[in-house]
Each structure stands twice: as C-alpha cells, then as structure tokens.
Amino acid sequence: MYKLSKLNVSNPKVWVVIGVSIAGVLIFAKVRRRFNSRSSIKEDFGAFVERFELLPFPQPPPPAARLPLAGLAFAINDIIDVKGHVTGYGSADWKRTHEAAGKTARLVTALLKNGATCVGKTVMDELGFGMTGENVNYGTPINPQKPSNIPGGSSSGSAVAVAAELVDFAIGTDIIGCIRMPASFCGVLGYRPSHGLVSTTGVLPNSQSLDTVGWFARDPSVLRSVGHVLLQLKTLEPKRMRRFIVADDLFQLPKVPKQKMVYAVSKVTEKLSGYQTPSHMNFGQYIASKVPCLKVFREESINQQNGISTLKALSSAMFLLQRYEFKINHEEWIKSVKPKFGPDVSDCVQAAITSKTDSIKNLYKVRMEMRAALQSLLKDDGILVIPTVADPPPKLCLKKGLAAEFHDRVYALLSIATMSGCCQVTIPLGKHDDSPISVSFIASHGTDNFLLDTVVDIYSSLLEEVNIASNSSPFPDIDGNMEASELLKEKGNAAYKGKQWNKAVTYYTEAIKLNETNATYYSNRAAAYLELGWSVSCACDWFFFFHLLLKAFSLNESPFNSFQQAEKDCTEAIFLDKKNIKAYLRRGTARESLLFYKEALQDFKHALVLEPQNKVSNMAEKRLRKLIS
C-alpha cells in the first residue's frame, strides 16, 4: 500500500490531478464569493450606490408637536450633495474627477430637521440622461413589480428603494420625466412639484429650466408630508371644489383600455363630495391653439417626418432646451475628461454637446405659453387627467434599444408638465397584462398643496374603484356618449353600403362630435370622402364630368376637396391609432388621387409593415414605383 502511494505521488499525472483539484477549489471559492456578493446586492434590489446613515435632528421637548417625518427613513439619488461624500452623478468618471461635497444639500437638511433618517444614495442614469434606469457603472436596480423589465430612469434606484419597501420615501430629480416614468414602471406614487419651488442648492444641474427635485412614496400621506416640508406649505388650506378634465386624445396613446384608467376616476367623483363630474377634451388641439410658438418646431419636424403631432413638437422643443442648457453646464468637463458612458447616455450627451440651436428665444417662449395655457385651462381648481406613460416597461438589455415610437409616445405625455412647469402626481392603478399601470393628475403651477391634498382625499377610493372595475367586464360607458356615437357610426356604415356618400359623411361627422378620439370614425369618414371624390372624377362622359366639376367648385365640393378631407381624416386617425392599417391605405389612396405619389408610396409601405401580405398595399406600391420612375 505504501509503495503504491509512493508510486502514485511520483507519477506526474497525479500532480496534474492535484493541481486541477486545487484550482477547482479556488475557483469554487471565488464563484461562491461572487454569488454571495450578488445575493447581498439582491437584498437591496441593487438600488443603492452607497449606504450610510444621517440621523435626524433631535425632537424638541414638549409641548412641541412631534416632527412630521419622525420615524421615516429615506434615500437620495446620486445627484444630491452630502457633506464628506463625493456626488457621483451616476458616472464613475464624474466621481473620479470631483471632490467630496463641502456642504449637505439644503433639501436633505430640511428632511433631517423634520425627523427623517437618510440611509444612503441610490443608482441613477449617468448625468441624469436616459430613461431606462440601466447604469453601466453600478448595474440596474431590480424592478420589484417586474424583475425582467427596466425600472425606468433616471431616478431608478430611488423608485426601486420605495417599491421594494427599503425606505418610506426617496428623493430623485425630474428633468424630462425622471420621477414620473420610474414611478409608473415600479408601481409607486411619484411627485414632480411646480418648477422652481423646491430648493436645488446642492443638487447637480442638468438643465436648470427643467430640473426639479421630486419624490416617491407608497403612502399618499407620506407623499404629502414630504411635500409640506420641501415646499414649505401650510398644513391647512381652505377646501374648494375640484374639476377633473380628462384628455381623451391622450388616452388613445396607451395600449391599456381607456376605461380601465378613467372609469375609476369618474366613479370616485360621483361618490365623494367636493368633486364635479369630469369633463372631456382634445388636449392636443387645445395646445395647438394656445401655444403658437410650437408652430416653429412643428414645421421643422414635418420636414423630417410627416404627420407630426402638436405634442411631438412640444417634446422636440423640450429636448432642444435640455441639450442647450446641458451643453452650457457641462461641455467643458465633457471635452476635457472625455468620459465613457453607456450607449444610450453616450448618444444623449453627444447630441447635447454637438447641438446648435438657433431658436433659443422660441424655446423659452414655448415654456411661457405652455404655463399660461395650463393656467387658463386649470386655474386653481382644475386637474388634468392623463396617462403617465403609453407603454409597459420594456425588457431589460434590449439589443436594438428602445423603439422610436416608444420615445415619441412617452415624451409626448411627459413634456406637458415639464414644459409648463406645472405639478404632476403619478398614481399607480394596479396592473394590466401583468404590467404596472398608472394615471397622472396635473395641476397649475403653484397649486401643489391642492394637488397633494387631492391625492390623499381620493387615493383609497380610487384603488377601491380600480379593484371593482378590474373584476367587471365590459367597462361601463364613462361619459354617456359612446352608445350614441356607435349608433351614428352604424348608420353611417349603412349609408355607405347604400352608396349614399353625403349621408354617410354626415353620420360619421355627428359621431365624431360625440367622441373625437375614435380613430375608426375618422377613417370611415375618409372612405366616404374618397367615394365622393371618385363619384365626380370618374364620370364617363367628359362633358358631363366638366359640368359636374364646375358645379362642384361653385359649391366648394370639388373632388380635390374631398380627397384633401380624406387625407386629413386619415392623418387624425393615425395619430389616434398608430396601427390603423385602413387609415394608411385610405390616406395613400387620397394622396395618390391628389398626385402626391411619393407621400402615397410611404403610406402603402407603412401598411405593408403592419400587414406584409396585404394585396392592396402590394399592388399600390408596385403601381406608384412605376409612376415615380
């Protein structure tokens, strides 16, 4: 036995086996350490960059009242100064090239004075750019509501810390939606206050005309208490009647049924005192009429993309303003340090640094006109009801990045409060198709106390109605007009089948008056207008055709007017429903009839993207290619 052992040890192969075994043990130990490290990260959902504790100021002795935030823990994102700590701005290069803060931000001190305890700094998108919440330096905080999907940015860590119940509330910043989007994606309350009312001393700037300090909470009372401290509000305010205004056109953007979000709001107003029955409006049309400076940005955008909406123009102005001010703030540091960023943030920074904006005055005019428009609409008792975002949170680490349509829809909604400076609250309404959904309330600038009180007043009843509505199908009509408008649409369909084109147009028009946000009504009316145009232009007898044409012009009913109206209706239908294939086909047909061949070709191409086997689109595309060539 001894000889055998000695023989084995002297064998080189044995040493190889021993070496491999030792290496395996070392690798296993290393993997175990990494696993344990990841496990510890998962315990806090990857929300924190740095953990520390800032104790609250002592409670004053009796008879002083208990401090309003006593016993509450909070976190701040990595854009806010704490004395003795380097403010990293979400970037390893920024942290490496900057020193520790000499003072603690004023807002943090205010929270400590009122009894709260700060427990650390949270992850954010680099330099406050980005919308995903993913960070190449510190990883991506895990969305507790949907771990395989993004938490939203840029204040991702703060939203996750609240959603995971690691803290009672958390502070972030909202530049172009950095509080509201992660609040919606993570299923928590999120508040963007009126611009300029919360101190930003000790907060790194991105774009000072848009920057606001905001906060997250799970409890509306905590949300309000934090607001009272940061906004220095009076605890009591005279109660007044509340007017809800539902932006019907904006509720066409989300994939969630409109009733699922709006019905609960409508039912709550019936049950609670002090609320008027909600009114409805087309918000895009209102802004188009009240913010004339947007025409500049709409025209510039149309040169790049047809059919741009008013709110798309508003978001374009928002981005230009952000880039202009970011460039002023940080261009020197970017060029001297040459920092490395994640792909999405790198694109944003590059766009900002290389931007050349000739219409700076118009950007600031848009802000002024937007604030005046919202003030005129809401006054001091109105609340605009809109969806917070249009889409559910996308999957993590998308290789192709977020789709352009996702950006367009979400920023069309987020740009309203950003460019007007109004206050906005995001309210979670449970889930739809296993993804968090929310609704937002917007109040005019300076009416924060009114809005925060409204959330506390309505929140429990709203959740109760959401639960009731979720269990009932189909959803009841919220404004009484849907049944009548559907009846008119059916009458229009019957007239259309009977080749009574003018009568069909009349019925569809009446349906649109009752419900301006139904894409089908516009698309159907466009079909009737097309038939009207052809009924004149396709006359076999040329003498009779010119006689009809002359008569039509005298009545302002030429075939060209019909084709133009059909094109206009289809454009509206596409704005309301991006996937309305009939609207693309009919607009392409109208444009071809108006001899706009290139534009018509684009419509038929888009229809083919939506439905690759569509024979009408295929034939039209081939025909137009020949005409153009």
Side-chain angles (χ1 to χ4, degrees):
M1 187 74 176
Y2 171 78
K3 289 181 180 179
L4 184 61
S5 298
K6 189 175 181 181
L7 180 64
N8 287 345
V9 171
S10 64
N11 189 332
K13 291 182 179 179
V14 174
W15 288 107
V16 172
V17 173
I18 293 170
V20 170
S21 301
I22 293 170
V25 171
L26 293 173
I27 291 169
F28 176 77
K30 190 172 184 180
V31 169
R32 188 177 180 83
R33 282 197 301 272
R34 286 186 178 180
F35 177 79
N36 289 338
S37 175
R38 288 181 183 178
S39 297
S40 66
I41 288 174
K42 287 183 179 178
E43 284 177 8
D44 67 6
F45 289 77
F48 286 87
V49 172
E50 184 182 5
R51 286 287 201 138
F52 52 77
E53 189 174 63
L54 300 179
L55 295 175
F57 284 40
Q59 167 72 40
R66 179 178 165 84
L67 293 173
L69 304 180
L72 300 180
F74 73 99
I76 57 175
N77 71 351
D78 199 21
I79 198 171
I80 299 169
D81 286 346
V82 171
K83 184 178 180 180
H85 297 260
V86 179
T87 306
Y89 213 173
S91 163
D93 285 320
W94 183 279
K95 192 167 187 175
R96 174 177 56 81
T97 55
H98 288 79
E99 296 180 354
K103 292 182 178 180
T104 295
R106 188 177 297 173
L107 71 97
V108 176
T109 302
L111 295 170
L112 297 174
K113 281 183 176 179
N114 282 273
T117 301
C118 183
V119 297
K121 287 194 173 188
T122 54
V123 176
M124 61 177 287
D125 283 298
E126 299 158 284
L127 309 192
F129 276 114
M131 62 192 298
T132 64
E134 297 171 300
N135 188 301
V136 295
N137 299 301
Y138 306 109
T140 305
I142 299 169
N143 185 341
Q145 291 284 329
K146 206 161 188 182
S148 61
N149 296 58
I150 65 171
S154 64
S155 300
S156 55
S158 290
V160 166
V162 171
E165 301 187 19
L166 305 174
V167 292
D168 298 292
F169 67 93
I171 307 298
T173 52
D174 192 309
I175 305 159
I176 57 174
C178 316
I179 290 282
R180 294 161 285 166
M181 188 189 305
S184 182
F185 286 174
C186 293
V188 296
L189 292 158
Y191 193 79
R192 175 190 166 100
S194 297
H195 182 265
L197 296 194
V198 176
S199 171
T200 54
T201 303
V203 181
L204 295 175
N206 178 289
S207 169
Q208 49 269 30
S209 293
L210 309 177
D211 291 346
T212 52
V213 172
W215 53 96
F216 305 93
R218 296 181 303 278
D219 185 325
S221 295
V222 172
L223 191 83
R224 179 173 63 177
S225 296
V226 174
H228 280 189
V229 169
L230 295 181
L231 292 159
Q232 302 178 42
L233 299 175
K234 297 176 181 178
T235 53
L236 293 175
E237 189 177 82
K239 190 169 182 178
R240 53 183 178 272
M241 185 67 72
R242 292 177 171 93
R243 288 183 300 120
F244 280 115
I245 304 167
V246 179
D248 283 332
D249 54 322
L250 302 188
F251 279 98
Q252 296 295 327
L253 294 175
K255 297 172 183 177
V256 180
K258 172 186 172 183
Q259 291 93 330
K260 192 162 188 176
M261 291 188 282
V262 177
Y263 173 68
V265 176
S266 180
K267 291 298 290 183
V268 167
T269 61
E270 294 176 9
K271 295 181 178 181
L272 296 178
S273 62
Y275 291 82
Q276 293 182 10
T277 302
S279 60
H280 297 259
M281 71 176 299
N282 186 308
F283 187 75
Q285 289 181 2
Y286 175 78
I287 293 302
S289 66
K290 294 290 185 178
V291 188
C293 274
L294 274 178
K295 290 179 181 177
V296 176
F297 303 101
R298 193 182 304 119
E299 289 166 1
E300 288 176 355
S301 299
I302 284 172
N303 293 331
Q304 301 168 12
Q305 181 182 344
N306 289 325
I308 201 74
S309 70
T310 300
L311 293 179
K312 175 67 187 299
L314 182 64
S315 62
S316 296
M318 175 181 74
F319 284 123
L320 288 171
L321 181 55
Q322 182 195 23
R323 290 169 185 170
Y324 170 72
E325 294 187 339
F326 178 87
K327 183 176 181 179
I328 291 173
N329 292 327
H330 302 305
E331 181 180 21
E332 185 179 339
W333 179 79
I334 298 287
K335 289 185 175 179
S336 62
V337 174
K338 296 180 174 57
K340 293 181 180 180
F341 302 114
D344 291 341
V345 174
S346 182
D347 291 343
C348 292
V349 171
Q350 186 64 20
I353 297 303
T354 58
S355 64
K356 294 179 180 178
T357 308
D358 299 324
S359 52
I360 298 301
K361 289 184 179 179
N362 280 326
L363 293 174
Y364 292 108
K365 280 184 180 178
V366 168
R367 286 175 70 244
M368 292 173 60
E369 289 176 358
M370 273 296 294
R371 184 171 298 185
L374 269 292
Q375 177 61 43
S376 175
L377 175 69
L378 302 175
K379 300 181 173 55
D380 65 351
D381 64 345
I383 295 172
L384 181 69
V385 184
I386 68 168
T388 308
V389 293
D391 297 87
K395 292 280 187 183
L396 287 164
C397 305
L398 288 175
K399 292 182 180 179
K400 295 182 180 179
L402 298 174
E405 284 191 357
F406 179 91
H407 283 85
D408 290 348
R409 286 194 295 269
V410 72
Y411 284 123
L413 296 167
L414 295 172
S415 63
I416 298 168
T418 300
M419 288 299 284
S420 66
C422 292
C423 47
Q424 177 175 341
V425 63
T426 297
I427 302 176
L429 295 182
K431 290 188 175 184
H432 176 74
D433 290 342
D434 200 36
S435 289
I437 59 172
S438 68
V439 70
S440 272
F441 296 165
I442 297 177
S444 57
H445 185 273
T447 60
D448 296 76
N449 207 356
F450 169 70
L451 185 57
L452 288 166
D453 284 348
T454 300
V455 178
V456 173
D457 190 51
I458 202 173
Y459 187 69
S460 60
S461 298
L462 192 58
L463 293 187
E464 186 179 323
E465 290 300 333
V466 168
N467 289 331
I468 294 171
S470 296
N471 296 322
S472 62
S473 181
F475 290 99
D477 177 25
I478 59 170
D479 54 17
N481 288 334
M482 193 173 295
E483 187 178 343
S485 61
E486 280 294 301
L487 181 61
L488 287 164
K489 183 199 77 172
E490 292 305 321
K491 287 184 177 181
N493 291 349
Y496 183 90
K497 288 177 183 177
K499 298 184 180 182
Q500 297 174 302
W501 319 125
N502 278 311
K503 188 174 283 189
V505 166
T506 301
Y507 282 130
Y508 292 137
T509 300
E510 291 303 313
I512 289 169
K513 286 179 182 178
L514 292 176
N515 186 354
E516 295 180 344
T517 61
N518 191 305
T520 301
Y521 300 169
Y522 289 99
S523 181
N524 286 8
R525 189 170 70 175
Y529 274 122
L530 286 173
E531 294 292 349
L532 276 175
W534 291 329
S535 67
V536 174
S537 60
C538 292
C540 295
D541 186 326
W542 280 99
F543 177 81
F544 181 61
F545 164 67
F546 281 115
H547 174 73
L548 283 176
L549 190 62
L550 185 63
K551 183 180 178 183
F553 270 119
S554 68
L555 296 173
N556 197 27
E557 294 176 352
S558 77
F560 304 107
N561 284 341
S562 295
F563 294 140
Q564 286 172 346
Q565 184 60 50
E567 181 191 26
K568 183 179 177 182
D569 276 350
C570 289
T571 299
E572 184 65 27
I574 290 166
F575 169 70
L576 294 171
D577 180 4
K578 301 290 185 186
K579 295 184 179 180
N580 192 320
I581 189 169
K582 289 183 179 179
Y584 282 107
L585 292 172
R586 288 164 182 168
R587 188 171 71 174
T589 304
R591 287 174 168 176
E592 184 179 356
S593 301
L594 292 166
L595 309 183
F596 297 144
Y597 295 144
K598 288 183 179 179
E599 292 83 353
L601 180 60
Q602 290 303 313
D603 279 334
F604 289 119
K605 280 183 177 179
H606 205 114
L608 279 172
V609 170
L610 294 172
E611 195 176 294
Q613 303 303 319
N614 190 285
K615 292 181 181 179
V616 175
S617 302
N618 263 310
M619 292 173 61
E621 186 189 23
K622 291 175 183 177
R623 180 177 66 251
L624 286 165
R625 284 188 185 279
K626 288 181 181 179
L627 284 170
I628 292 170
S629 62

